[in-house]
Amino acid sequence: MEITITEAAAKKINERTKGQEGYLKLKYDTDGCGCAVNGVVALWFVPEVEEDEIAIETNDKTVYLEKSKMVFFDEQMKIDFSQTTNCFQLKSPQQILNGHMSLIIKEKTD
């Protein structure tokens, strides 16, 4: 799997996570979607990586994905940021996986 982070997305991620320790994650979120095959891809910044997550090296930051959810992603993807919509976007050559992605910053829970 190959993930590219555009310059605009990298800049916006760095602005929003400045001074925080954590990991960038593409989360296939099924909460409130009805069933496990209906979900939405979200961009998360998390304090810890889970055991079942796989690290994907990019041109900028390492991105983590849940191994069990890899089937929902394309082989080549790009994380971009749209100034027009003020949202992140996840695209592949075949489709737009999510054109209106927020960056969700998760706090560490003890």
Side-chain angles (χ1 to χ4, degrees):
M1 179 174 289
E2 180 183 323
I3 299 174
T4 303
I5 300 175
T6 66
E7 188 176 325
K11 181 180 176 187
K12 196 54 84 169
I13 290 166
N14 288 333
E15 283 174 15
R16 294 189 183 171
T17 62
K18 190 174 184 176
Q20 297 180 57
E21 294 286 323
Y23 305 91
L24 201 56
K25 175 179 179 174
L26 281 173
K27 169 83 171 156
Y28 188 77
D29 195 0
T30 57
D31 287 348
C33 294
C35 80
V37 295
N38 292 330
V40 132
V41 179
L43 186 61
W44 286 14
F45 188 77
V46 297
E48 297 174 344
V49 177
E50 302 291 325
E51 277 187 37
D52 70 331
E53 292 177 342
I54 294 182
I56 306 292
E57 298 299 325
T58 75
N59 59 309
D60 187 60
K61 296 182 179 335
T62 301
V63 175
Y64 292 85
L65 290 93
E66 293 169 276
K67 189 175 185 178
S68 62
K69 302 293 192 324
M70 301 245 335
V71 66
F72 298 111
F73 295 97
D74 290 339
E75 192 57 37
Q76 291 183 323
M77 297 182 294
K78 181 186 296 182
I79 299 171
D80 197 3
F81 184 81
S82 169
Q83 298 291 342
T84 307
T85 60
N86 197 35
C87 291
F88 290 93
Q89 300 175 330
L90 183 63
K91 308 172 188 176
S92 76
Q94 294 81 22
Q95 63 183 324
I96 295 176
L97 291 112
N98 189 343
H100 290 57
M101 244 182 354
S102 297
L103 175 59
I104 300 166
I105 299 175
K106 296 286 190 175
E107 299 292 324
K108 187 172 185 171
T109 56
D110 293 327

